[in-house]
Amino acid sequence: MRRPFATRAGALLAATLLAGAFAVPASAADGKGDQGFTIEDPRITESSGLAASRQHPGVYWTHNDSDDGPYLYAVDSATGKTVARLTLTGIGSPRDVEAVSIGPDNQIYVGDIGDNLGGTWAYVWIYKLPEPKKLVDATVRATQYVVTYSDGARDAESLVVHPKTGRVYIIDKNEDGGHLYEGPATLSTKGKNVFKPVAPVDLWATDAAFSPDGTQLAVRGYFGGLSYDWNDGAIKRKGRLDVPLQRQGESLSYSADGSKLMYGSEGSSSSVVAEDAPDGGSAKSPSSEGGSGGSGSDASGTSAATSGVKLGALVVAALAAAVFGFRRLLRRG
């Protein structure tokens, strides 16, 4: 989301210039969305979350960060064009929407969990709605849940729903590393849903995603990412992710078949870049009744991201590392 980065503002600006010089824009000209694509809708200028539809292959759900409204956009990854916009009712006025994830039974979860004021809001919200069977502009009633944290208010941009249990998790956003927060087994509309820290996350996290089988958790930041074995919530760090350098890397999603990780960015005509998922994406996609939190794109295409994007990202990452370093973005990296 739009934030003052203090002393890192110059670094981000320089990284943006480098990215523009070397990176090749993602394209879905070949019709395979999991090779990457560009969001064409001029209304989508702050894409902060990404989740793939299993009812509608190749379609991603996304949303703006703030200053928009209660909207979700369905984007066709083959063309980058919006094929439906949902207007959510039954909720208050969204404040800082940061994440979207699809859980069991094709339920969409939206995380209004950001906190521009640095963790001062007494509560945040999660919205849940059924994914429509037809992709047309529509008004959909959502269920609103009030969320608090057991250790006080905080900023967060990562929300994931476990594809097997349906349990919701949040990772707070902290420059020195945050924590994985576990919600109640079942969210309730009565009273507050208290999320409790269960494991540290060594990253300044901007989004996260479960693998389709729920055994892996991927977490991204602006310049790096980490993969974890889920281990029933007692996460175990496996290694780093191949995160492309983007203007402001905000979203992350597994492809529907688990073979790719899809990385999105804010900004007009923002790109979604595909990289190979850890372990080659051996996990199979669940059925439409199963669920895949923080999911990705069309399962029909399985080829790697375009070589131009990967080469550009590698060159930029090397330059950025040499000039700026990732000293506090990946602790103990």
Side-chain angles (χ1 to χ4, degrees):
M1 67 176 298
R2 293 176 298 186
R3 279 181 174 56
F5 288 101
T7 57
R8 281 177 171 75
L12 285 172
L13 176 59
T16 300
L17 295 176
L18 287 170
F22 290 97
V24 178
S27 172
D30 55 8
K32 296 180 179 179
D34 67 353
Q35 287 189 347
F37 60 96
T38 298
I39 297 175
E40 301 291 348
D41 192 331
R43 297 172 297 182
I44 304 174
T45 58
E46 293 186 282
S47 176
S48 293
L50 202 65
S53 169
R54 289 177 302 280
Q55 292 192 106
H56 310 288
V59 169
Y60 285 86
W61 292 100
T62 190
H63 54 81
N64 281 311
D65 180 345
S66 56
D67 301 326
D68 185 15
Y71 305 123
L72 282 176
Y73 299 85
V75 178
D76 182 355
S77 62
T79 64
K81 298 184 181 300
T82 296
V83 292
R85 186 176 80 161
L86 301 184
T87 302
L88 278 58
T89 63
I91 64 174
S93 178
R95 190 163 51 187
D96 193 353
V97 179
E98 291 290 352
V100 60
S101 183
I102 298 180
D105 302 319
N106 297 315
Q107 295 293 309
I108 302 176
Y109 291 75
V110 180
D112 191 356
I113 57 175
D115 189 340
N116 280 347
L117 302 179
T120 58
W121 286 330
Y123 55 85
V124 291
W125 299 301
I126 293 173
Y127 314 127
K128 185 179 76 172
L129 64 149
E131 182 183 27
K133 294 182 179 180
K134 293 184 179 180
L135 289 178
V136 294
D137 289 354
T139 298
V140 179
R141 187 169 185 83
T143 302
Q144 178 170 301
Y145 303 100
V146 177
V147 170
T148 62
Y149 301 93
S150 62
D151 53 356
R154 59 201 57 253
D155 187 20
E157 296 188 4
S158 309
L159 177 145
V160 290
V161 183
H162 195 273
K164 303 299 183 182
T165 68
R167 198 160 194 160
V168 182
Y169 297 83
I170 293 172
I171 300 173
D172 64 333
K173 184 182 181 183
N174 190 309
E175 186 177 354
D176 293 321
H179 284 81
L180 175 73
Y181 284 79
E182 182 182 72
T186 302
L187 296 179
S188 174
T189 57
K190 298 179 180 179
K192 299 175 181 178
N193 295 274
V194 180
F195 279 61
K196 302 176 181 179
V198 293
V201 174
D202 300 322
L203 191 71
W204 192 16
T206 61
D207 205 3
F210 274 119
S211 61
D213 65 356
T215 63
Q216 307 294 316
L217 176 69
V219 187
R220 77 161 298 172
Y222 292 114
F223 295 116
L226 296 172
S227 64
Y228 291 89
D229 284 323
W230 178 240
N231 198 27
D232 292 326
I235 56 176
K236 182 179 179 181
R237 178 170 166 174
K238 293 180 61 179
R240 295 188 181 185
L241 297 175
D242 186 14
V243 178
L245 190 64
Q246 296 172 304
R247 285 178 290 185
Q248 189 167 331
E250 290 280 343
S251 59
L252 175 66
S253 174
Y254 269 90
S255 63
D257 67 355
S259 68
K260 299 291 180 182
L261 280 170
M262 312 296 290
Y263 296 91
S265 174
E266 287 194 359
S268 299
S269 300
S270 60
S271 64
V272 176
V273 178
E275 298 287 354
D276 290 335
D279 299 328
S282 58
K284 294 182 179 180
S285 173
S287 69
S288 61
E289 296 300 318
S292 175
S295 57
S297 70
D298 185 359
S300 63
T302 57
S303 56
T306 56
S307 59
V309 171
K310 292 179 69 67
L311 177 59
L314 287 172
V315 172
V316 174
L319 289 173
V323 178
F324 307 117
F326 299 101
R327 182 160 46 95
R328 298 183 66 187
L329 300 180
L330 279 174
R331 298 188 305 141
R332 300 192 300 275

mmCIF file of all heavy atoms in Angstrom, residues 113-143:
data_model
loop_
_atom_site.group_PDB
_atom_site.id
_atom_site.type_symbol
_atom_site.label_atom_id
_atom_site.label_comp_id
_atom_site.label_asym_id
_atom_site.label_seq_id
_atom_site.Cartn_x
_atom_site.Cartn_y
_atom_site.Cartn_z
ATOM 1 N N ILE A 113 -7.338 -5.408 6.913
ATOM 2 C CA ILE A 113 -6.479 -5.593 8.081
ATOM 3 C C ILE A 113 -5.310 -4.622 8.151
ATOM 4 O O ILE A 113 -4.499 -4.686 9.074
ATOM 5 C CB ILE A 113 -5.938 -7.037 8.126
ATOM 6 C CG1 ILE A 113 -5.187 -7.366 6.821
ATOM 7 C CG2 ILE A 113 -7.088 -8.026 8.355
ATOM 8 C CD1 ILE A 113 -4.519 -8.732 6.826
ATOM 9 N N GLY A 114 -5.192 -3.718 7.174
ATOM 10 C CA GLY A 114 -4.098 -2.756 7.211
ATOM 11 C C GLY A 114 -4.333 -1.691 8.269
ATOM 12 O O GLY A 114 -5.457 -1.474 8.723
ATOM 13 N N ASP A 115 -3.247 -1.043 8.656
ATOM 14 C CA ASP A 115 -3.342 0.019 9.668
ATOM 15 C C ASP A 115 -2.297 1.078 9.356
ATOM 16 O O ASP A 115 -1.150 0.986 9.788
ATOM 17 C CB ASP A 115 -3.131 -0.558 11.067
ATOM 18 C CG ASP A 115 -3.443 0.449 12.169
ATOM 19 O OD1 ASP A 115 -3.459 1.655 11.889
ATOM 20 O OD2 ASP A 115 -3.668 0.012 13.305
ATOM 21 N N ASN A 116 -2.705 2.082 8.590
ATOM 22 C CA ASN A 116 -1.794 3.155 8.196
ATOM 23 C C ASN A 116 -1.198 3.900 9.381
ATOM 24 O O ASN A 116 -0.151 4.541 9.267
ATOM 25 C CB ASN A 116 -2.524 4.176 7.315
ATOM 26 C CG ASN A 116 -2.636 3.700 5.882
ATOM 27 O OD1 ASN A 116 -1.986 2.748 5.487
ATOM 28 N ND2 ASN A 116 -3.475 4.363 5.111
ATOM 29 N N LEU A 117 -1.868 3.826 10.500
ATOM 30 C CA LEU A 117 -1.446 4.596 11.667
ATOM 31 C C LEU A 117 -0.476 3.817 12.549
ATOM 32 O O LEU A 117 -0.242 4.180 13.696
ATOM 33 C CB LEU A 117 -2.676 5.023 12.472
ATOM 34 C CG LEU A 117 -3.703 5.851 11.692
ATOM 35 C CD1 LEU A 117 -4.895 6.188 12.573
ATOM 36 C CD2 LEU A 117 -3.073 7.121 11.143
ATOM 37 N N GLY A 118 0.054 2.732 12.020
ATOM 38 C CA GLY A 118 1.096 2.011 12.723
ATOM 39 C C GLY A 118 0.606 1.147 13.863
ATOM 40 O O GLY A 118 1.326 0.911 14.832
ATOM 41 N N GLY A 119 -0.582 0.612 13.770
ATOM 42 C CA GLY A 119 -1.105 -0.264 14.795
ATOM 43 C C GLY A 119 -1.826 0.470 15.907
ATOM 44 O O GLY A 119 -1.555 0.264 17.083
ATOM 45 N N THR A 120 -2.756 1.326 15.531
ATOM 46 C CA THR A 120 -3.491 2.099 16.541
ATOM 47 C C THR A 120 -4.994 1.838 16.507
ATOM 48 O O THR A 120 -5.705 2.298 17.395
ATOM 49 C CB THR A 120 -3.249 3.611 16.346
ATOM 50 O OG1 THR A 120 -3.664 3.983 15.026
ATOM 51 C CG2 THR A 120 -1.774 3.941 16.515
ATOM 52 N N TRP A 121 -5.474 1.129 15.483
ATOM 53 C CA TRP A 121 -6.908 0.851 15.421
ATOM 54 C C TRP A 121 -7.243 -0.284 16.376
ATOM 55 O O TRP A 121 -6.566 -1.308 16.421
ATOM 56 C CB TRP A 121 -7.325 0.495 13.995
ATOM 57 C CG TRP A 121 -7.345 1.691 13.098
ATOM 58 C CD1 TRP A 121 -7.611 2.968 13.458
ATOM 59 C CD2 TRP A 121 -7.076 1.725 11.695
ATOM 60 N NE1 TRP A 121 -7.535 3.804 12.359
ATOM 61 C CE2 TRP A 121 -7.205 3.069 11.265
ATOM 62 C CE3 TRP A 121 -6.739 0.761 10.746
ATOM 63 C CZ2 TRP A 121 -7.016 3.460 9.949
ATOM 64 C CZ3 TRP A 121 -6.554 1.148 9.434
ATOM 65 C CH2 TRP A 121 -6.696 2.483 9.042
ATOM 66 N N ALA A 122 -8.306 -0.129 17.113
ATOM 67 C CA ALA A 122 -8.678 -1.107 18.136
ATOM 68 C C ALA A 122 -9.089 -2.440 17.530
ATOM 69 O O ALA A 122 -8.987 -3.480 18.174
ATOM 70 C CB ALA A 122 -9.804 -0.552 18.999
ATOM 71 N N TYR A 123 -9.545 -2.416 16.286
ATOM 72 C CA TYR A 123 -9.962 -3.655 15.625
ATOM 73 C C TYR A 123 -9.877 -3.479 14.122
ATOM 74 O O TYR A 123 -9.820 -2.353 13.598
ATOM 75 C CB TYR A 123 -11.395 -4.031 16.030
ATOM 76 C CG TYR A 123 -12.398 -2.928 15.775
ATOM 77 C CD1 TYR A 123 -13.001 -2.756 14.521
ATOM 78 C CD2 TYR A 123 -12.744 -2.026 16.786
ATOM 79 C CE1 TYR A 123 -13.901 -1.742 14.291
ATOM 80 C CE2 TYR A 123 -13.641 -1.006 16.563
ATOM 81 C CZ TYR A 123 -14.226 -0.869 15.320
ATOM 82 O OH TYR A 123 -15.106 0.144 15.092
ATOM 83 N N VAL A 124 -9.851 -4.593 13.413
ATOM 84 C CA VAL A 124 -9.891 -4.606 11.953
ATOM 85 C C VAL A 124 -10.985 -5.596 11.548
ATOM 86 O O VAL A 124 -11.665 -6.169 12.400
ATOM 87 C CB VAL A 124 -8.522 -4.985 11.345
ATOM 88 C CG1 VAL A 124 -7.511 -3.879 11.591
ATOM 89 C CG2 VAL A 124 -8.015 -6.315 11.907
ATOM 90 N N TRP A 125 -11.147 -5.831 10.238
ATOM 91 C CA TRP A 125 -12.257 -6.656 9.776
ATOM 92 C C TRP A 125 -11.813 -7.698 8.760
ATOM 93 O O TRP A 125 -10.845 -7.502 8.014
ATOM 94 C CB TRP A 125 -13.339 -5.796 9.118
ATOM 95 C CG TRP A 125 -13.964 -4.775 10.003
ATOM 96 C CD1 TRP A 125 -14.644 -4.991 11.173
ATOM 97 C CD2 TRP A 125 -13.989 -3.358 9.783
ATOM 98 N NE1 TRP A 125 -15.096 -3.809 11.692
ATOM 99 C CE2 TRP A 125 -14.708 -2.778 10.862
ATOM 100 C CE3 TRP A 125 -13.492 -2.517 8.790
ATOM 101 C CZ2 TRP A 125 -14.935 -1.413 10.975
ATOM 102 C CZ3 TRP A 125 -13.707 -1.156 8.895
ATOM 103 C CH2 TRP A 125 -14.422 -0.612 9.965
ATOM 104 N N ILE A 126 -12.566 -8.777 8.729
ATOM 105 C CA ILE A 126 -12.498 -9.770 7.665
ATOM 106 C C ILE A 126 -13.891 -9.902 7.067
ATOM 107 O O ILE A 126 -14.886 -9.941 7.806
ATOM 108 C CB ILE A 126 -12.011 -11.145 8.182
ATOM 109 C CG1 ILE A 126 -10.553 -11.063 8.622
ATOM 110 C CG2 ILE A 126 -12.180 -12.225 7.109
ATOM 111 C CD1 ILE A 126 -10.060 -12.324 9.303
ATOM 112 N N TYR A 127 -13.981 -9.941 5.740
ATOM 113 C CA TYR A 127 -15.252 -10.125 5.053
ATOM 114 C C TYR A 127 -15.229 -11.482 4.344
ATOM 115 O O TYR A 127 -14.219 -11.875 3.766
ATOM 116 C CB TYR A 127 -15.487 -9.023 4.012
ATOM 117 C CG TYR A 127 -15.207 -7.636 4.514
ATOM 118 C CD1 TYR A 127 -14.347 -6.779 3.819
ATOM 119 C CD2 TYR A 127 -15.789 -7.157 5.692
ATOM 120 C CE1 TYR A 127 -14.086 -5.498 4.274
ATOM 121 C CE2 TYR A 127 -15.533 -5.877 6.144
ATOM 122 C CZ TYR A 127 -14.672 -5.050 5.438
ATOM 123 O OH TYR A 127 -14.413 -3.779 5.892
ATOM 124 N N LYS A 128 -16.349 -12.186 4.379
ATOM 125 C CA LYS A 128 -16.456 -13.477 3.687
ATOM 126 C C LYS A 128 -17.680 -13.471 2.791
ATOM 127 O O LYS A 128 -18.754 -12.997 3.180
ATOM 128 C CB LYS A 128 -16.549 -14.625 4.691
ATOM 129 C CG LYS A 128 -16.549 -16.012 4.037
ATOM 130 C CD LYS A 128 -16.627 -17.132 5.058
ATOM 131 C CE LYS A 128 -18.019 -17.292 5.626
ATOM 132 N NZ LYS A 128 -18.139 -18.511 6.475
ATOM 133 N N LEU A 129 -17.524 -14.003 1.582
ATOM 134 C CA LEU A 129 -18.627 -14.063 0.638
ATOM 135 C C LEU A 129 -18.459 -15.270 -0.262
ATOM 136 O O LEU A 129 -17.335 -15.717 -0.518
ATOM 137 C CB LEU A 129 -18.695 -12.784 -0.203
ATOM 138 C CG LEU A 129 -17.501 -12.511 -1.121
ATOM 139 C CD1 LEU A 129 -17.950 -11.757 -2.371
ATOM 140 C CD2 LEU A 129 -16.434 -11.694 -0.387
ATOM 141 N N PRO A 130 -19.555 -15.841 -0.762
ATOM 142 C CA PRO A 130 -19.443 -16.950 -1.708
ATOM 143 C C PRO A 130 -19.010 -16.439 -3.074
ATOM 144 O O PRO A 130 -19.467 -15.387 -3.527
ATOM 145 C CB PRO A 130 -20.862 -17.527 -1.742
ATOM 146 C CG PRO A 130 -21.736 -16.348 -1.403
ATOM 147 C CD PRO A 130 -20.955 -15.519 -0.428
ATOM 148 N N GLU A 131 -18.141 -17.187 -3.708
ATOM 149 C CA GLU A 131 -17.749 -16.800 -5.061
ATOM 150 C C GLU A 131 -18.914 -17.056 -6.014
ATOM 151 O O GLU A 131 -19.498 -18.146 -6.011
ATOM 152 C CB GLU A 131 -16.533 -17.605 -5.516
ATOM 153 C CG GLU A 131 -16.062 -17.212 -6.907
ATOM 154 C CD GLU A 131 -14.899 -18.057 -7.388
ATOM 155 O OE1 GLU A 131 -14.792 -19.211 -6.935
ATOM 156 O OE2 GLU A 131 -14.127 -17.564 -8.211
ATOM 157 N N PRO A 132 -19.271 -16.065 -6.833
ATOM 158 C CA PRO A 132 -20.386 -16.259 -7.768
ATOM 159 C C PRO A 132 -20.086 -17.334 -8.805
ATOM 160 O O PRO A 132 -18.940 -17.512 -9.219
ATOM 161 C CB PRO A 132 -20.517 -14.879 -8.434
ATOM 162 C CG PRO A 132 -19.844 -13.927 -7.509
ATOM 163 C CD PRO A 132 -18.732 -14.700 -6.883
ATOM 164 N N LYS A 133 -21.120 -18.049 -9.216
ATOM 165 C CA LYS A 133 -20.960 -19.080 -10.237
ATOM 166 C C LYS A 133 -20.863 -18.480 -11.634
ATOM 167 O O LYS A 133 -20.331 -19.118 -12.546
ATOM 168 C CB LYS A 133 -22.114 -20.072 -10.162
ATOM 169 C CG LYS A 133 -22.133 -20.881 -8.875
ATOM 170 C CD LYS A 133 -23.269 -21.887 -8.856
ATOM 171 C CE LYS A 133 -23.250 -22.697 -7.564
ATOM 172 N NZ LYS A 133 -24.361 -23.692 -7.512
ATOM 173 N N LYS A 134 -21.378 -17.260 -11.786
ATOM 174 C CA LYS A 134 -21.288 -16.575 -13.068
ATOM 175 C C LYS A 134 -20.489 -15.292 -12.898
ATOM 176 O O LYS A 134 -20.676 -14.566 -11.924
ATOM 177 C CB LYS A 134 -22.689 -16.252 -13.614
ATOM 178 C CG LYS A 134 -23.492 -17.480 -13.986
ATOM 179 C CD LYS A 134 -24.836 -17.088 -14.601
ATOM 180 C CE LYS A 134 -25.636 -18.316 -15.008
ATOM 181 N NZ LYS A 134 -26.943 -17.921 -15.607
ATOM 182 N N LEU A 135 -19.641 -15.020 -13.855
ATOM 183 C CA LEU A 135 -18.800 -13.833 -13.787
ATOM 184 C C LEU A 135 -19.472 -12.671 -14.500
ATOM 185 O O LEU A 135 -19.323 -12.472 -15.708
ATOM 186 C CB LEU A 135 -17.425 -14.113 -14.396
ATOM 187 C CG LEU A 135 -16.524 -15.043 -13.573
ATOM 188 C CD1 LEU A 135 -15.212 -15.294 -14.294
ATOM 189 C CD2 LEU A 135 -16.273 -14.460 -12.187
ATOM 190 N N VAL A 136 -20.240 -11.921 -13.735
ATOM 191 C CA VAL A 136 -20.888 -10.710 -14.228
ATOM 192 C C VAL A 136 -20.806 -9.681 -13.100
ATOM 193 O O VAL A 136 -20.656 -10.037 -11.924
ATOM 194 C CB VAL A 136 -22.366 -10.956 -14.609
ATOM 195 C CG1 VAL A 136 -22.467 -11.903 -15.802
ATOM 196 C CG2 VAL A 136 -23.147 -11.506 -13.422
ATOM 197 N N ASP A 137 -20.884 -8.413 -13.448
ATOM 198 C CA ASP A 137 -20.941 -7.391 -12.406
ATOM 199 C C ASP A 137 -22.152 -7.661 -11.527
ATOM 200 O O ASP A 137 -23.265 -7.868 -12.029
ATOM 201 C CB ASP A 137 -21.059 -6.006 -13.028
ATOM 202 C CG ASP A 137 -19.773 -5.560 -13.722
ATOM 203 O OD1 ASP A 137 -18.759 -6.291 -13.622
ATOM 204 O OD2 ASP A 137 -19.777 -4.487 -14.356
ATOM 205 N N ALA A 138 -21.932 -7.673 -10.220
ATOM 206 C CA ALA A 138 -23.019 -8.045 -9.326
ATOM 207 C C ALA A 138 -22.801 -7.447 -7.944
ATOM 208 O O ALA A 138 -21.693 -7.041 -7.585
ATOM 209 C CB ALA A 138 -23.128 -9.573 -9.217
ATOM 210 N N THR A 139 -23.867 -7.391 -7.177
ATOM 211 C CA THR A 139 -23.820 -6.991 -5.776
ATOM 212 C C THR A 139 -23.978 -8.249 -4.935
ATOM 213 O O THR A 139 -24.923 -9.012 -5.138
ATOM 214 C CB THR A 139 -24.942 -5.988 -5.454
ATOM 215 O OG1 THR A 139 -24.748 -4.805 -6.237
ATOM 216 C CG2 THR A 139 -24.914 -5.615 -3.981
ATOM 217 N N VAL A 140 -23.041 -8.472 -4.022
ATOM 218 C CA VAL A 140 -23.015 -9.703 -3.233
ATOM 219 C C VAL A 140 -22.979 -9.344 -1.752
ATOM 220 O O VAL A 140 -22.187 -8.501 -1.325
ATOM 221 C CB VAL A 140 -21.790 -10.569 -3.594
ATOM 222 C CG1 VAL A 140 -21.766 -11.836 -2.760
ATOM 223 C CG2 VAL A 140 -21.786 -10.902 -5.079
ATOM 224 N N ARG A 141 -23.829 -9.992 -0.995
ATOM 225 C CA ARG A 141 -23.838 -9.756 0.445
ATOM 226 C C ARG A 141 -22.702 -10.528 1.103
ATOM 227 O O ARG A 141 -22.537 -11.726 0.870
ATOM 228 C CB ARG A 141 -25.181 -10.151 1.057
ATOM 229 C CG ARG A 141 -25.289 -9.764 2.537
ATOM 230 C CD ARG A 141 -26.704 -9.916 3.051
ATOM 231 N NE ARG A 141 -26.815 -9.443 4.427
ATOM 232 C CZ ARG A 141 -26.983 -8.176 4.771
ATOM 233 N NH1 ARG A 141 -27.067 -7.245 3.817
ATOM 234 N NH2 ARG A 141 -27.056 -7.812 6.036
ATOM 235 N N ALA A 142 -21.928 -9.846 1.949
ATOM 236 C CA ALA A 142 -20.801 -10.457 2.642
ATOM 237 C C ALA A 142 -21.062 -10.503 4.138
ATOM 238 O O ALA A 142 -21.863 -9.732 4.672
ATOM 239 C CB ALA A 142 -19.518 -9.671 2.360
ATOM 240 N N THR A 143 -20.375 -11.418 4.803
ATOM 241 C CA THR A 143 -20.411 -11.498 6.264
ATOM 242 C C THR A 143 -19.188 -10.785 6.818
ATOM 243 O O THR A 143 -18.075 -10.973 6.321
ATOM 244 C CB THR A 143 -20.400 -12.965 6.723
ATOM 245 O OG1 THR A 143 -21.524 -13.648 6.161
ATOM 246 C CG2 THR A 143 -20.467 -13.063 8.241
#
